[in-house]
Amino acid sequence: MYDKIKELSLTFAQYKTYPISKFIDDSPLRKFQELYPSNHYSIEIERFLAYHNYSPIRRGADLPWWGKEYFSSEPGFRVMTITRDSLSEDAGSVVLFSHLFPVIQSQSEYMSFINSINNKQSFSFNSWNIFRTQFSQWGLNLDYLYVTDAAKVYKMDNNTSFDKDKSRRLLKQEIEICNPDLIIMMGSSSFDLLTKGLKFGEVVESGRIISVQGIKCVVCPFISGQGVTQKRFKEKLAKATETINSVLNKQ
């Protein structure tokens, strides 16, 4: 397990996306560790961050999150979900606040957590719950789930624009290390980075499985924000859900 986490960390460290100095006491990660010190992620992320003692050189990115068995030797069907580009104000956050999925069950618990962290890192309960509910409807086992953002490497001289080439390279390396059984692309960000000769709209409309680095991949519309305003959103999401369920039911 720890060899994989170290390999993943050293890969990210090449791009200096997670300067440890940015993980202050009231950041979403540190507060989570304070409240849930025995949680697998609280422990394993420390091994990950051990290789990120460098000075910030650009805007940071959201940390990936993984379930407690994802990097274990336990047999199980492993799923990687890739969301939109990382747009957190600075390092210190976790993509989609996924670390809260297994431990928080109510809005009041969620709001208590939000009120304990710095106001630069807030994420609304409604948005968070949309993702948690959708993952449940897809039948994803949180123990074997890995969640990451698409583009994560900003340009050296610009904290609002991504270095697409480096972001693409990092995401490909991340997929290779994590070696999932299924990839779920949420929105067009990762699709644009990783596919050639395909059109996002056509793939989403068809609901068909594509191959990314030799791994089965399902593409769906982004399920919050502007994503839900696109034409035929419900139909597209339903097709993606049907495909994901069919893949998981065959395991």
Side-chain angles (χ1 to χ4, degrees):
M1 172 191 296
Y2 293 128
D3 287 345
K4 278 292 184 181
I5 293 174
K6 179 179 179 180
E7 182 182 2
L8 187 69
S9 176
L10 289 174
T11 298
F12 274 107
Q14 298 174 39
Y15 302 90
K16 298 187 176 182
T17 52
Y18 304 122
I20 197 168
S21 62
K22 291 294 185 177
F23 292 87
I24 56 179
D25 289 345
D26 60 353
S27 65
L29 173 66
R30 295 307 188 202
K31 183 56 66 172
F32 179 83
Q33 290 177 305
E34 177 186 327
L35 296 173
Y36 307 98
S38 61
N39 183 271
H40 78 282
Y41 189 71
S42 292
I43 297 168
E44 292 169 15
I45 199 64
E46 279 305 298
R47 293 181 178 270
F48 181 95
L49 288 174
Y51 304 97
H52 294 265
N53 187 18
Y54 42 76
S55 298
I57 60 171
R58 58 167 73 84
R59 182 171 171 172
D62 290 332
L63 285 166
W65 176 83
W66 54 86
K68 65 180 181 179
E69 300 296 351
Y70 193 91
F71 290 115
S72 76
S73 58
E74 290 296 315
F77 193 81
R78 288 162 170 79
V79 179
M80 171 186 275
T81 60
I82 309 176
T83 73
R84 284 182 171 174
D85 300 334
S86 182
L87 296 174
S88 66
E89 186 164 336
D90 209 336
S93 189
V94 181
V95 58
L96 299 183
F97 280 24
S98 304
H99 54 335
L100 302 182
F101 287 156
V103 299
I104 287 182
Q105 304 302 321
S106 68
Q107 183 171 359
S108 61
E109 288 179 301
Y110 185 85
M111 294 312 300
S112 178
F113 178 82
I114 290 296
N115 291 333
S116 71
I117 63 176
N118 65 72
N119 58 16
K120 293 181 180 180
Q121 304 283 359
S122 63
F123 186 52
S124 76
F125 172 78
N126 288 339
S127 295
W128 177 79
N129 198 44
I130 284 172
F131 289 96
R132 183 180 65 160
T133 301
Q134 188 62 66
F135 288 175
S136 176
Q137 291 177 351
W138 283 338
L140 304 184
N141 185 339
L142 293 179
D143 287 349
Y144 294 92
L145 180 64
Y146 182 96
V147 186
T148 193
D149 283 325
K152 294 182 277 283
V153 184
Y154 287 86
K155 293 180 179 178
M156 289 291 293
D157 58 348
N158 191 322
N159 273 348
T160 59
S161 298
F162 291 99
D163 186 317
K164 292 295 186 180
D165 289 336
K166 289 183 177 179
S167 290
R168 179 182 299 106
R169 190 182 314 132
L170 174 56
L171 186 55
K172 286 184 174 182
Q173 291 173 305
E174 191 176 7
I175 291 171
E176 183 177 355
I177 294 168
C178 293
N179 191 29
D181 298 295
L182 174 69
I183 297 171
I184 300 174
M185 289 183 175
M186 304 178 70
S188 61
S189 295
S190 55
F191 183 91
D192 292 342
L193 284 176
L194 297 175
T195 64
K196 291 183 178 181
L198 296 174
K199 293 183 178 180
F200 177 76
E202 293 178 358
V203 174
V204 172
E205 284 282 358
S206 70
R208 73 180 190 271
I209 294 173
I210 63 173
S211 177
V212 173
Q213 295 179 216
I215 299 169
K216 290 181 179 180
C217 177
V218 179
V219 184
C220 72
F222 200 69
I223 62 176
S224 72
Q226 294 296 318
V228 302
T229 64
Q230 62 181 264
K231 292 181 179 179
R232 292 173 39 81
F233 168 79
K234 291 183 178 179
E235 291 87 345
K236 294 172 184 176
L237 181 58
K239 284 189 176 182
T241 298
E242 182 180 359
T243 305
I244 292 168
N245 290 160
S246 69
V247 172
L248 295 178
N249 288 336
K250 291 178 180 179
Q251 304 313 308

